[in-house]
Amino acid sequence: MIRNTLPRYEILSEEAVATLDRGWRRIVSEIGIEFVLPAAVEEFRRAGQAVDGSVVRLDPEFVLEQVAKAPREFDVQARNPARSVHIGGDHMVFTAVYGCPFVRVGSERRDATMADFENLVRLAQAFPQLDSPGGTICEPNDRPLDSRHLDMVFALQTLSDKPYMGSVTSGPNAADTIRMTEIVFGGREAIERTPAVIALINVNSPLRYDDRMLSAMLEYVRAGQPVVITPFLLMGAMSPVSIPATLVQQLAEALAGVALAQLVRPGTPVILGSFLSNTDMQSGSPSFGTPESAIGLLCTGQLARRLGLPWRSGGGFTSSQAVDAQAAYEAVMTMLPTFLAGTNYVMHAAGWLESGLVSCYEKFVVDIEVLRMLQAEFAPLEVDEASLAFDAHLEVGHGGHFLGAAHTLERFRDCFYRPLLSSTENFERWQRNGGRDAAERASEIWRRTLAEYEQPPLDAAIREELEEYVTRRRAELGD
Amino acid sequence: MIRNTLPRYEILSEEAVATLDRGWRRIVSEIGIEFVLPAAVEEFRRAGQAVDGSVVRLDPEFVLEQVAKAPREFDVQARNPARSVHIGGDHMVFTAVYGCPFVRVGSERRDATMADFENLVRLAQAFPQLDSPGGTICEPNDRPLDSRHLDMVFALQTLSDKPYMGSVTSGPNAADTIRMTEIVFGGREAIERTPAVIALINVNSPLRYDDRMLSAMLEYVRAGQPVVITPFLLMGAMSPVSIPATLVQQLAEALAGVALAQLVRPGTPVILGSFLSNTDMQSGSPSFGTPESAIGLLCTGQLARRLGLPWRSGGGFTSSQAVDAQAAYEAVMTMLPTFLAGTNYVMHAAGWLESGLVSCYEKFVVDIEVLRMLQAEFAPLEVDEASLAFDAHLEVGHGGHFLGAAHTLERFRDCFYRPLLSSTENFERWQRNGGRDAAERASEIWRRTLAEYEQPPLDAAIREELEEYVTRRRAELGD
């Protein structure tokens, strides 16, 4: 977690903000949002909103009253207190890639397995630039569908001592996650006091929440655990081919979800989510790292701050199929705006490849290098008399060299960013050392990092209780 | 040339700016700047500044009086008037890589030749994202050192109709450039009225201008042609290992040069140059695309605007030896801040590789894609009622799809950025099409672009006069 105290880069005029504000109000009140779960609809009916089947038409002022109940900032505890995070304000929390069915290792692309899941969690634990492994760091396809959420949560809890994200594949799976979190953190009361697991709730955009996501969401909200309510918007598919239209849709969808969370449990922590990119209108495929997604990201930050909500966006997005130049320029094209916009909760910050279908080991390392660079870049620059190093100028004079100056010798170890992956070797030396490109060097780095990984200690009784829970539930689920 | 009307990203507080202001004043007045050319020293002596051998100690107020004589904005004409550029204000002009002794083509790295020079100028002419090929797009090592400036200027003038940069390797070579420019633009008066060639004047940092650069500079300034006065600062080598110290050194050096230009010809157009990165303190090599260089770039923009001077910085910098992920993330790490800072004159915007030792054909295309993306991203976002596309929401409703919506069908051709190089193909299709990474696709793109290149027309009499001049001067120079 870093604090980003540099200025926010805001590109919307007051007039544009007012236009967007009218836009989401019109959508929620005239078209409404569909909630495909009677319990959710019932919450809105009881609060006096207009219900028509599963569609709820919302009074915008009512929505804002609910939104105002959400905390502007909150803490999430990790089982190692030193790893606990604060979400909101100028804090930025970084989590790894989420939800990929495939992995890429070097030139091999294949179905992700539980072993990959565990390895990627270990990498997320090892790199200090990540505050959390996230949740579904890849899909463990070799485990039964019914019970793999138990395997994933167990791995997140035991291989890492950083905060983690819970299962959202159903209400019962969410309940399992919460129960396992209670085991680790000392009971329900302890996690209600300070939340300990975050859940990603995707909207089934446009303008619909499905029953599966709503059931999971209600479990987390009732337990006071934070939900990241995220419209899933690829312009041209789930939203119109217009950034302003997509921004208002995003607000309409997300704020309706935030209102539901506050109705169910006033004051429950929420994160305004944004996952906004566009369709490549030539190929019909999703397109990531685009100018449109960067613009959407900057605008979303500005709008979220006006609403007083912590917000999620950003990541090392790319559509590239390989760890090549495209993968890298697209990743920075979203990750740098993520810092400019001061995103509070950054998902997909390491490992994302191929439009999110692939968790890639080498891309993981590339993204860590990008994160390290940006975390250095967005630190405040200290400008005072001493920083002007006037004596060094006196010492070196005209046409001299600063390498041997006293000022340099006192500071050379930590005066500049030191790369993890990047090479500045001259060509001859680089060739002599094998002429390996960044992807090849990244491969060596993740292998070394895994080899040096140390599992964080966990109380034996807690581990045993978790194992018993997983074993029992797996049997109950028939796996 | 684009106009960048988005906000500038400024990170220095008023207090920091005041501290930096005190810093450069102290350097110019207490340590002074060395000018290794008697004619330059004489200018300062006549203006009442303190001269000690070749070192001039300057009154900061005197410096600012001179700086105030420089135009805030100016035009540079191209031989095709549609290609003329405006420098300053919110305009951004982009030029190709400059000064590389080597080229890289695919996996081959070798000495650059005149054929490479011509090919790279053709590429710069062909891609509309570049406003100018720049000057020494690579070093034509197969031409005699004494006269290759004639070959380069001739190629720039005949293979491109965009503005170009002139030779700065000596006073006489600068005079040749100016004479050849007079031939193309209709005489001395025509180019004094509106300048037609730009010259890059590097400071021999720290705090020294050498005779070669000064001689060239004086030729251009006397002819009223714009000079880009650029301290050459790799922190740890040519400046202290501190960003603030380097910023004040940069101001001290550049403003002293600007003052000289204004003494020689008041009102002559100048560009405040910045070339600021750091040494990798582990390898001792120059390091590009670093967090430090991005911070320096943002600060330089803020300082240049306060001085009312057009300014130069940025580019697609990298230390990478190959067109890999490192080359791409480092390039965006400086190119995106270049846009945030609103750099007026961007050198090295395409083709830079291996810390500037290599002009690379494939990196050229990667950089063009990055430029295209950023030029799209930094266009103003129109937010009005129509952009909210409310009817599209009415048409599609809850859980629907926008691909076939009327709003989409009317706009799908140009609603989003369309990539030149990036691929969004799904994995199977990408593999079927050869599974080529971005560098391989870039190779195909520059080869196709060269094949389709059309030489811009030039009046036969002008061409003949240029050829005669080159032939005569080559003979005079003994080549």
Side-chain angles (χ1 to χ4, degrees), chain A residues 79 114 117-119 121-122 133 148-161 164 180 453 455-456 466 470:
Chain A
R79 69 177 174 87
M114 192 65 210
F117 188 99
E118 291 171 347
N119 279 339
V121 170
R122 289 184 184 106
R148 68 171 65 148
H149 66 285
L150 301 167
D151 301 313
M152 290 194 273
V153 174
F154 182 80
L156 289 163
Q157 291 180 318
T158 55
L159 297 175
S160 170
D161 61 2
Y164 56 89
M180 290 172 75
Y453 163 84
Q455 185 161 354
L466 281 176
V470 169

PDB file of all heavy atoms in Angstrom, chain A residues 79 114 117-119 121-122 133 148-161 164 180 453 455-456 466 470:
ATOM      1  N   ARG A  79      -4.182 -11.294   8.266  1.00  0.00           N
ATOM      2  CA  ARG A  79      -3.867 -12.109   9.449  1.00  0.00           C
ATOM      3  C   ARG A  79      -2.507 -11.742  10.028  1.00  0.00           C
ATOM      4  O   ARG A  79      -2.244 -11.948  11.200  1.00  0.00           O
ATOM      5  CB  ARG A  79      -3.994 -13.598   9.147  1.00  0.00           C
ATOM      6  CG  ARG A  79      -2.962 -14.189   8.212  1.00  0.00           C
ATOM      7  CD  ARG A  79      -3.224 -15.693   8.115  1.00  0.00           C
ATOM      8  NE  ARG A  79      -2.394 -16.384   7.154  1.00  0.00           N
ATOM      9  CZ  ARG A  79      -1.198 -16.868   7.412  1.00  0.00           C
ATOM     10  NH1 ARG A  79      -0.645 -16.697   8.603  1.00  0.00           N
ATOM     11  NH2 ARG A  79      -0.516 -17.524   6.485  1.00  0.00           N
ATOM     12  N   MET A 114      -4.574 -25.992 -10.027  1.00  0.00           N
ATOM     13  CA  MET A 114      -4.437 -25.598  -8.626  1.00  0.00           C
ATOM     14  C   MET A 114      -2.972 -25.309  -8.297  1.00  0.00           C
ATOM     15  O   MET A 114      -2.681 -24.414  -7.497  1.00  0.00           O
ATOM     16  CB  MET A 114      -4.986 -26.703  -7.716  1.00  0.00           C
ATOM     17  CG  MET A 114      -5.153 -26.274  -6.270  1.00  0.00           C
ATOM     18  SD  MET A 114      -6.417 -24.956  -6.069  1.00  0.00           S
ATOM     19  CE  MET A 114      -5.772 -24.088  -4.621  1.00  0.00           C
ATOM     20  N   PHE A 117      -2.398 -21.887  -9.317  1.00  0.00           N
ATOM     21  CA  PHE A 117      -3.024 -20.984  -8.349  1.00  0.00           C
ATOM     22  C   PHE A 117      -2.085 -20.776  -7.161  1.00  0.00           C
ATOM     23  O   PHE A 117      -1.819 -19.641  -6.738  1.00  0.00           O
ATOM     24  CB  PHE A 117      -4.371 -21.580  -7.880  1.00  0.00           C
ATOM     25  CG  PHE A 117      -5.182 -20.650  -7.030  1.00  0.00           C
ATOM     26  CD1 PHE A 117      -6.231 -19.916  -7.581  1.00  0.00           C
ATOM     27  CD2 PHE A 117      -4.910 -20.480  -5.672  1.00  0.00           C
ATOM     28  CE1 PHE A 117      -6.987 -19.053  -6.800  1.00  0.00           C
ATOM     29  CE2 PHE A 117      -5.652 -19.617  -4.887  1.00  0.00           C
ATOM     30  CZ  PHE A 117      -6.689 -18.905  -5.446  1.00  0.00           C
ATOM     31  N   GLU A 118      -1.570 -21.869  -6.641  1.00  0.00           N
ATOM     32  CA  GLU A 118      -0.700 -21.776  -5.459  1.00  0.00           C
ATOM     33  C   GLU A 118       0.599 -21.027  -5.775  1.00  0.00           C
ATOM     34  O   GLU A 118       1.057 -20.200  -4.979  1.00  0.00           O
ATOM     35  CB  GLU A 118      -0.407 -23.182  -4.924  1.00  0.00           C
ATOM     36  CG  GLU A 118      -1.668 -23.824  -4.323  1.00  0.00           C
ATOM     37  CD  GLU A 118      -1.505 -25.289  -3.961  1.00  0.00           C
ATOM     38  OE1 GLU A 118      -0.505 -25.909  -4.395  1.00  0.00           O
ATOM     39  OE2 GLU A 118      -2.391 -25.821  -3.253  1.00  0.00           O
ATOM     40  N   ASN A 119       1.168 -21.314  -6.927  1.00  0.00           N
ATOM     41  CA  ASN A 119       2.415 -20.617  -7.296  1.00  0.00           C
ATOM     42  C   ASN A 119       2.199 -19.118  -7.451  1.00  0.00           C
ATOM     43  O   ASN A 119       3.024 -18.305  -7.027  1.00  0.00           O
ATOM     44  CB  ASN A 119       2.975 -21.188  -8.595  1.00  0.00           C
ATOM     45  CG  ASN A 119       3.755 -22.466  -8.366  1.00  0.00           C
ATOM     46  OD1 ASN A 119       4.209 -22.719  -7.240  1.00  0.00           O
ATOM     47  ND2 ASN A 119       3.915 -23.268  -9.395  1.00  0.00           N
ATOM     48  N   VAL A 121      -0.149 -17.301  -6.069  1.00  0.00           N
ATOM     49  CA  VAL A 121      -0.362 -16.708  -4.735  1.00  0.00           C
ATOM     50  C   VAL A 121       0.980 -16.518  -4.031  1.00  0.00           C
ATOM     51  O   VAL A 121       1.222 -15.482  -3.395  1.00  0.00           O
ATOM     52  CB  VAL A 121      -1.319 -17.573  -3.886  1.00  0.00           C
ATOM     53  CG1 VAL A 121      -1.340 -17.096  -2.434  1.00  0.00           C
ATOM     54  CG2 VAL A 121      -2.727 -17.540  -4.478  1.00  0.00           C
ATOM     55  N   ARG A 122       1.871 -17.491  -4.184  1.00  0.00           N
ATOM     56  CA  ARG A 122       3.212 -17.346  -3.570  1.00  0.00           C
ATOM     57  C   ARG A 122       3.940 -16.125  -4.151  1.00  0.00           C
ATOM     58  O   ARG A 122       4.597 -15.379  -3.424  1.00  0.00           O
ATOM     59  CB  ARG A 122       4.038 -18.621  -3.818  1.00  0.00           C
ATOM     60  CG  ARG A 122       3.568 -19.828  -3.029  1.00  0.00           C
ATOM     61  CD  ARG A 122       4.494 -21.043  -3.237  1.00  0.00           C
ATOM     62  NE  ARG A 122       3.972 -22.206  -2.537  1.00  0.00           N
ATOM     63  CZ  ARG A 122       3.379 -23.247  -3.146  1.00  0.00           C
ATOM     64  NH1 ARG A 122       3.272 -23.280  -4.467  1.00  0.00           N
ATOM     65  NH2 ARG A 122       2.910 -24.260  -2.422  1.00  0.00           N
ATOM     66  N   PRO A 133      -2.916 -10.904  -2.878  1.00  0.00           N
ATOM     67  CA  PRO A 133      -2.961 -11.740  -4.080  1.00  0.00           C
ATOM     68  C   PRO A 133      -4.268 -11.563  -4.842  1.00  0.00           C
ATOM     69  O   PRO A 133      -4.380 -12.024  -5.966  1.00  0.00           O
ATOM     70  CB  PRO A 133      -2.841 -13.161  -3.528  1.00  0.00           C
ATOM     71  CG  PRO A 133      -3.233 -13.081  -2.097  1.00  0.00           C
ATOM     72  CD  PRO A 133      -2.974 -11.681  -1.640  1.00  0.00           C
ATOM     73  N   ARG A 148     -14.150 -26.027  -5.539  1.00  0.00           N
ATOM     74  CA  ARG A 148     -12.822 -25.409  -5.712  1.00  0.00           C
ATOM     75  C   ARG A 148     -12.712 -24.075  -4.976  1.00  0.00           C
ATOM     76  O   ARG A 148     -11.605 -23.628  -4.693  1.00  0.00           O
ATOM     77  CB  ARG A 148     -12.468 -25.260  -7.193  1.00  0.00           C
ATOM     78  CG  ARG A 148     -13.284 -24.280  -7.975  1.00  0.00           C
ATOM     79  CD  ARG A 148     -12.720 -24.031  -9.377  1.00  0.00           C
ATOM     80  NE  ARG A 148     -12.762 -25.211 -10.229  1.00  0.00           N
ATOM     81  CZ  ARG A 148     -12.929 -25.159 -11.563  1.00  0.00           C
ATOM     82  NH1 ARG A 148     -13.067 -23.997 -12.176  1.00  0.00           N
ATOM     83  NH2 ARG A 148     -12.942 -26.258 -12.292  1.00  0.00           N
ATOM     84  N   HIS A 149     -13.856 -23.466  -4.673  1.00  0.00           N
ATOM     85  CA  HIS A 149     -13.766 -22.211  -3.903  1.00  0.00           C
ATOM     86  C   HIS A 149     -13.119 -22.474  -2.535  1.00  0.00           C
ATOM     87  O   HIS A 149     -12.414 -21.621  -1.999  1.00  0.00           O
ATOM     88  CB  HIS A 149     -15.147 -21.570  -3.744  1.00  0.00           C
ATOM     89  CG  HIS A 149     -16.102 -22.355  -2.916  1.00  0.00           C
ATOM     90  ND1 HIS A 149     -16.724 -23.503  -3.372  1.00  0.00           N
ATOM     91  CD2 HIS A 149     -16.547 -22.181  -1.638  1.00  0.00           C
ATOM     92  CE1 HIS A 149     -17.507 -23.989  -2.428  1.00  0.00           C
ATOM     93  NE2 HIS A 149     -17.420 -23.204  -1.364  1.00  0.00           N
ATOM     94  N   LEU A 150     -13.357 -23.664  -1.983  1.00  0.00           N
ATOM     95  CA  LEU A 150     -12.744 -24.004  -0.684  1.00  0.00           C
ATOM     96  C   LEU A 150     -11.221 -24.102  -0.836  1.00  0.00           C
ATOM     97  O   LEU A 150     -10.465 -23.599   0.004  1.00  0.00           O
ATOM     98  CB  LEU A 150     -13.298 -25.343  -0.184  1.00  0.00           C
ATOM     99  CG  LEU A 150     -14.821 -25.396   0.009  1.00  0.00           C
ATOM    100  CD1 LEU A 150     -15.288 -26.840   0.195  1.00  0.00           C
ATOM    101  CD2 LEU A 150     -15.233 -24.541   1.211  1.00  0.00           C
ATOM    102  N   ASP A 151     -10.776 -24.734  -1.927  1.00  0.00           N
ATOM    103  CA  ASP A 151      -9.331 -24.873  -2.182  1.00  0.00           C
ATOM    104  C   ASP A 151      -8.672 -23.504  -2.367  1.00  0.00           C
ATOM    105  O   ASP A 151      -7.569 -23.255  -1.883  1.00  0.00           O
ATOM    106  CB  ASP A 151      -9.102 -25.703  -3.448  1.00  0.00           C
ATOM    107  CG  ASP A 151      -9.712 -27.097  -3.325  1.00  0.00           C
ATOM    108  OD1 ASP A 151      -9.493 -27.736  -2.284  1.00  0.00           O
ATOM    109  OD2 ASP A 151     -10.423 -27.521  -4.249  1.00  0.00           O
ATOM    110  N   MET A 152      -9.376 -22.642  -3.077  1.00  0.00           N
ATOM    111  CA  MET A 152      -8.795 -21.324  -3.352  1.00  0.00           C
ATOM    112  C   MET A 152      -8.678 -20.493  -2.073  1.00  0.00           C
ATOM    113  O   MET A 152      -7.629 -19.907  -1.795  1.00  0.00           O
ATOM    114  CB  MET A 152      -9.637 -20.584  -4.401  1.00  0.00           C
ATOM    115  CG  MET A 152      -9.516 -21.191  -5.789  1.00  0.00           C
ATOM    116  SD  MET A 152     -10.173 -20.091  -7.087  1.00  0.00           S
ATOM    117  CE  MET A 152     -11.890 -20.565  -7.065  1.00  0.00           C
ATOM    118  N   VAL A 153      -9.764 -20.452  -1.301  1.00  0.00           N
ATOM    119  CA  VAL A 153      -9.720 -19.650  -0.074  1.00  0.00           C
ATOM    120  C   VAL A 153      -8.659 -20.216   0.884  1.00  0.00           C
ATOM    121  O   VAL A 153      -7.878 -19.462   1.481  1.00  0.00           O
ATOM    122  CB  VAL A 153     -11.115 -19.594   0.598  1.00  0.00           C
ATOM    123  CG1 VAL A 153     -11.028 -18.888   1.953  1.00  0.00           C
ATOM    124  CG2 VAL A 153     -12.101 -18.867  -0.316  1.00  0.00           C
ATOM    125  N   PHE A 154      -8.604 -21.542   0.966  1.00  0.00           N
ATOM    126  CA  PHE A 154      -7.598 -22.160   1.834  1.00  0.00           C
ATOM    127  C   PHE A 154      -6.178 -21.773   1.396  1.00  0.00           C
ATOM    128  O   PHE A 154      -5.328 -21.435   2.225  1.00  0.00           O
ATOM    129  CB  PHE A 154      -7.769 -23.687   1.817  1.00  0.00           C
ATOM    130  CG  PHE A 154      -6.822 -24.411   2.715  1.00  0.00           C
ATOM    131  CD1 PHE A 154      -7.048 -24.499   4.087  1.00  0.00           C
ATOM    132  CD2 PHE A 154      -5.662 -25.006   2.201  1.00  0.00           C
ATOM    133  CE1 PHE A 154      -6.164 -25.170   4.927  1.00  0.00           C
ATOM    134  CE2 PHE A 154      -4.765 -25.665   3.039  1.00  0.00           C
ATOM    135  CZ  PHE A 154      -5.020 -25.750   4.403  1.00  0.00           C
ATOM    136  N   ALA A 155      -5.937 -21.814   0.098  1.00  0.00           N
ATOM    137  CA  ALA A 155      -4.604 -21.443  -0.408  1.00  0.00           C
ATOM    138  C   ALA A 155      -4.305 -19.973  -0.112  1.00  0.00           C
ATOM    139  O   ALA A 155      -3.188 -19.620   0.302  1.00  0.00           O
ATOM    140  CB  ALA A 155      -4.522 -21.716  -1.912  1.00  0.00           C
ATOM    141  N   LEU A 156      -5.279 -19.105  -0.338  1.00  0.00           N
ATOM    142  CA  LEU A 156      -5.078 -17.672  -0.072  1.00  0.00           C
ATOM    143  C   LEU A 156      -4.770 -17.436   1.404  1.00  0.00           C
ATOM    144  O   LEU A 156      -3.925 -16.607   1.765  1.00  0.00           O
ATOM    145  CB  LEU A 156      -6.336 -16.878  -0.473  1.00  0.00           C
ATOM    146  CG  LEU A 156      -6.610 -16.763  -1.982  1.00  0.00           C
ATOM    147  CD1 LEU A 156      -8.057 -16.347  -2.248  1.00  0.00           C
ATOM    148  CD2 LEU A 156      -5.633 -15.785  -2.623  1.00  0.00           C
ATOM    149  N   GLN A 157      -5.438 -18.200   2.276  1.00  0.00           N
ATOM    150  CA  GLN A 157      -5.277 -17.984   3.718  1.00  0.00           C
ATOM    151  C   GLN A 157      -3.969 -18.558   4.257  1.00  0.00           C
ATOM    152  O   GLN A 157      -3.432 -18.052   5.241  1.00  0.00           O
ATOM    153  CB  GLN A 157      -6.443 -18.634   4.470  1.00  0.00           C
ATOM    154  CG  GLN A 157      -7.780 -17.937   4.233  1.00  0.00           C
ATOM    155  CD  GLN A 157      -8.916 -18.608   4.985  1.00  0.00           C
ATOM    156  OE1 GLN A 157      -8.997 -19.833   5.031  1.00  0.00           O
ATOM    157  NE2 GLN A 157      -9.781 -17.801   5.585  1.00  0.00           N
ATOM    158  N   THR A 158      -3.480 -19.619   3.613  1.00  0.00           N
ATOM    159  CA  THR A 158      -2.317 -20.309   4.182  1.00  0.00           C
ATOM    160  C   THR A 158      -1.001 -19.963   3.481  1.00  0.00           C
ATOM    161  O   THR A 158       0.049 -19.976   4.119  1.00  0.00           O
ATOM    162  CB  THR A 158      -2.523 -21.838   4.123  1.00  0.00           C
ATOM    163  OG1 THR A 158      -2.801 -22.220   2.763  1.00  0.00           O
ATOM    164  CG2 THR A 158      -3.673 -22.264   5.023  1.00  0.00           C
ATOM    165  N   LEU A 159      -1.062 -19.647   2.189  1.00  0.00           N
ATOM    166  CA  LEU A 159       0.186 -19.367   1.454  1.00  0.00           C
ATOM    167  C   LEU A 159       0.562 -17.891   1.508  1.00  0.00           C
ATOM    168  O   LEU A 159       1.654 -17.510   1.105  1.00  0.00           O
ATOM    169  CB  LEU A 159       0.053 -19.805  -0.004  1.00  0.00           C
ATOM    170  CG  LEU A 159      -0.164 -21.310  -0.217  1.00  0.00           C
ATOM    171  CD1 LEU A 159      -0.397 -21.613  -1.687  1.00  0.00           C
ATOM    172  CD2 LEU A 159       1.034 -22.102   0.317  1.00  0.00           C
ATOM    173  N   SER A 160      -0.385 -17.065   1.967  1.00  0.00           N
ATOM    174  CA  SER A 160      -0.146 -15.631   2.044  1.00  0.00           C
ATOM    175  C   SER A 160      -0.689 -15.123   3.368  1.00  0.00           C
ATOM    176  O   SER A 160      -1.641 -15.695   3.922  1.00  0.00           O
ATOM    177  CB  SER A 160      -0.859 -14.930   0.875  1.00  0.00           C
ATOM    178  OG  SER A 160      -0.843 -13.530   1.053  1.00  0.00           O
ATOM    179  N   ASP A 161      -0.076 -14.080   3.891  1.00  0.00           N
ATOM    180  CA  ASP A 161      -0.652 -13.452   5.089  1.00  0.00           C
ATOM    181  C   ASP A 161      -1.144 -12.039   4.767  1.00  0.00           C
ATOM    182  O   ASP A 161      -1.301 -11.198   5.640  1.00  0.00           O
ATOM    183  CB  ASP A 161       0.351 -13.454   6.255  1.00  0.00           C
ATOM    184  CG  ASP A 161       1.626 -12.680   5.938  1.00  0.00           C
ATOM    185  OD1 ASP A 161       1.728 -12.098   4.835  1.00  0.00           O
ATOM    186  OD2 ASP A 161       2.533 -12.657   6.798  1.00  0.00           O
ATOM    187  N   TYR A 164      -7.174 -10.932   1.377  1.00  0.00           N
ATOM    188  CA  TYR A 164      -7.569 -11.715   0.206  1.00  0.00           C
ATOM    189  C   TYR A 164      -9.015 -11.424  -0.149  1.00  0.00           C
ATOM    190  O   TYR A 164      -9.739 -10.756   0.597  1.00  0.00           O
ATOM    191  CB  TYR A 164      -7.367 -13.207   0.469  1.00  0.00           C
ATOM    192  CG  TYR A 164      -8.091 -13.711   1.689  1.00  0.00           C
ATOM    193  CD1 TYR A 164      -9.405 -14.190   1.618  1.00  0.00           C
ATOM    194  CD2 TYR A 164      -7.461 -13.702   2.936  1.00  0.00           C
ATOM    195  CE1 TYR A 164     -10.068 -14.629   2.753  1.00  0.00           C
ATOM    196  CE2 TYR A 164      -8.115 -14.142   4.067  1.00  0.00           C
ATOM    197  CZ  TYR A 164      -9.429 -14.610   3.977  1.00  0.00           C
ATOM    198  OH  TYR A 164     -10.078 -15.033   5.093  1.00  0.00           O
ATOM    199  N   MET A 180     -14.770 -19.426   6.789  1.00  0.00           N
ATOM    200  CA  MET A 180     -13.325 -19.697   6.858  1.00  0.00           C
ATOM    201  C   MET A 180     -12.567 -18.449   7.333  1.00  0.00           C
ATOM    202  O   MET A 180     -11.550 -18.546   8.015  1.00  0.00           O
ATOM    203  CB  MET A 180     -12.798 -20.160   5.486  1.00  0.00           C
ATOM    204  CG  MET A 180     -13.299 -21.564   5.110  1.00  0.00           C
ATOM    205  SD  MET A 180     -12.881 -22.041   3.406  1.00  0.00           S
ATOM    206  CE  MET A 180     -11.129 -22.403   3.563  1.00  0.00           C
ATOM    207  N   TYR A 453      10.741 -18.377  -1.927  1.00  0.00           N
ATOM    208  CA  TYR A 453       9.497 -18.103  -1.185  1.00  0.00           C
ATOM    209  C   TYR A 453       9.499 -18.807   0.174  1.00  0.00           C
ATOM    210  O   TYR A 453       9.898 -19.974   0.282  1.00  0.00           O
ATOM    211  CB  TYR A 453       8.305 -18.579  -2.016  1.00  0.00           C
ATOM    212  CG  TYR A 453       7.019 -18.736  -1.239  1.00  0.00           C
ATOM    213  CD1 TYR A 453       6.184 -17.647  -0.998  1.00  0.00           C
ATOM    214  CD2 TYR A 453       6.635 -19.985  -0.737  1.00  0.00           C
ATOM    215  CE1 TYR A 453       4.998 -17.796  -0.278  1.00  0.00           C
ATOM    216  CE2 TYR A 453       5.455 -20.145  -0.023  1.00  0.00           C
ATOM    217  CZ  TYR A 453       4.643 -19.046   0.207  1.00  0.00           C
ATOM    218  OH  TYR A 453       3.481 -19.203   0.916  1.00  0.00           O
ATOM    219  N   GLN A 455       6.837 -19.709   3.307  1.00  0.00           N
ATOM    220  CA  GLN A 455       5.429 -19.676   3.694  1.00  0.00           C
ATOM    221  C   GLN A 455       5.283 -18.939   5.028  1.00  0.00           C
ATOM    222  O   GLN A 455       6.011 -19.220   5.979  1.00  0.00           O
ATOM    223  CB  GLN A 455       4.905 -21.110   3.817  1.00  0.00           C
ATOM    224  CG  GLN A 455       3.405 -21.154   4.096  1.00  0.00           C
ATOM    225  CD  GLN A 455       2.792 -22.505   3.760  1.00  0.00           C
ATOM    226  OE1 GLN A 455       3.465 -23.386   3.221  1.00  0.00           O
ATOM    227  NE2 GLN A 455       1.507 -22.657   4.056  1.00  0.00           N
ATOM    228  N   PRO A 456       4.343 -17.995   5.121  1.00  0.00           N
ATOM    229  CA  PRO A 456       4.184 -17.263   6.390  1.00  0.00           C
ATOM    230  C   PRO A 456       3.578 -18.188   7.452  1.00  0.00           C
ATOM    231  O   PRO A 456       2.717 -19.011   7.138  1.00  0.00           O
ATOM    232  CB  PRO A 456       3.207 -16.132   6.029  1.00  0.00           C
ATOM    233  CG  PRO A 456       2.488 -16.612   4.816  1.00  0.00           C
ATOM    234  CD  PRO A 456       3.415 -17.522   4.080  1.00  0.00           C
ATOM    235  N   LEU A 466      -9.296 -25.051   9.760  1.00  0.00           N
ATOM    236  CA  LEU A 466      -9.578 -24.760   8.351  1.00  0.00           C
ATOM    237  C   LEU A 466      -9.649 -26.061   7.544  1.00  0.00           C
ATOM    238  O   LEU A 466     -10.560 -26.258   6.731  1.00  0.00           O
ATOM    239  CB  LEU A 466      -8.476 -23.867   7.756  1.00  0.00           C
ATOM    240  CG  LEU A 466      -8.507 -22.372   8.059  1.00  0.00           C
ATOM    241  CD1 LEU A 466      -7.276 -21.705   7.444  1.00  0.00           C
ATOM    242  CD2 LEU A 466      -9.781 -21.713   7.524  1.00  0.00           C
ATOM    243  N   VAL A 470     -12.785 -27.480   5.393  1.00  0.00           N
ATOM    244  CA  VAL A 470     -12.708 -27.761   3.957  1.00  0.00           C
ATOM    245  C   VAL A 470     -13.077 -29.218   3.681  1.00  0.00           C
ATOM    246  O   VAL A 470     -13.864 -29.522   2.768  1.00  0.00           O
ATOM    247  CB  VAL A 470     -11.297 -27.425   3.413  1.00  0.00           C
ATOM    248  CG1 VAL A 470     -11.120 -27.961   1.992  1.00  0.00           C
ATOM    249  CG2 VAL A 470     -11.052 -25.920   3.457  1.00  0.00           C
TER     250      VAL A 470
END
